[in-house]
Amino acid sequence: MNLNEFLSAHDITLARCEHPAVMTVEESDRLVPKLPGAKTKNLFLRDAKGRRHFLVTIPGARTVDLSKLGEALGIGRLGFASSERLLAHLGLTPGSVSLLGLMNDTEHHKVEFVIDQDLWDAEAVQAHPLVNTATCVIPHADLLRFLQATGHEPRIIQVPAATKEGATP
């Protein structure tokens, strides 16, 4: 099932804006028109043994202290998962990662979803619709409906920001 079919099947309608391909928040700031909702950045992470995988959605301007995030999640060391793992678990390629990719985790347990408290509290968030040539605006009510439809219980935390010395994109 593709994203549009999935959204339609669950009565979720998202505003979509097409734009040139963007790989970074900086490119997004330059190339994506101003849209409502909070800008997001997504990190696809794994634990030290590669047994647990996490999609962490944070405000677009934030950098993350992975060490403190691992502690906050009770995991220990976290690292970036490979593009092969990203494709295997979420069906995505680098640059197109977003919370909408959770629809591809049909077993509902391969990827744990973590969202920053500030985004959870926002009226709407922005996310790529599985490609980096468009951005969707997701109102909070539709985010709830989407997560319920995918079977993912969000872990809502204040994701620890990195200091400049320990900044992680």
Side-chain angles (χ1 to χ4, degrees), residues 2-104:
N2 72 34
L3 178 62
N4 289 334
E5 291 168 343
F6 182 89
L7 295 174
S8 179
H10 297 285
D11 198 28
I12 300 170
T13 305
L14 305 180
R16 180 179 172 131
C17 174
E18 303 291 328
H19 52 71
V22 295
M23 294 293 289
T24 65
V25 172
E26 292 76 23
E27 287 179 349
S28 175
D29 288 342
R30 284 193 331 268
L31 299 171
V32 177
K34 185 157 177 59
L35 298 170
K39 281 191 176 253
T40 62
K41 180 168 37 178
N42 297 276
L43 307 175
F44 186 58
L45 306 172
R46 60 168 180 72
D47 68 357
K49 296 189 179 195
R51 292 187 186 139
R52 292 175 69 185
H53 294 82
F54 302 86
L55 177 63
V56 181
T57 302
I58 59 173
R62 183 164 311 155
T63 55
V64 176
D65 184 321
L66 289 182
S67 173
K68 288 183 181 173
L69 176 57
E71 289 173 20
L73 295 174
I75 301 304
R77 205 172 104 224
L78 286 171
F80 286 94
S82 68
S83 56
E84 292 81 14
R85 287 175 188 255
L86 175 62
L87 186 61
H89 293 302
L90 291 178
L92 300 173
T93 57
S96 60
V97 182
S98 85
L99 62 90
L100 294 174
L102 291 170
M103 69 161 271
N104 292 327

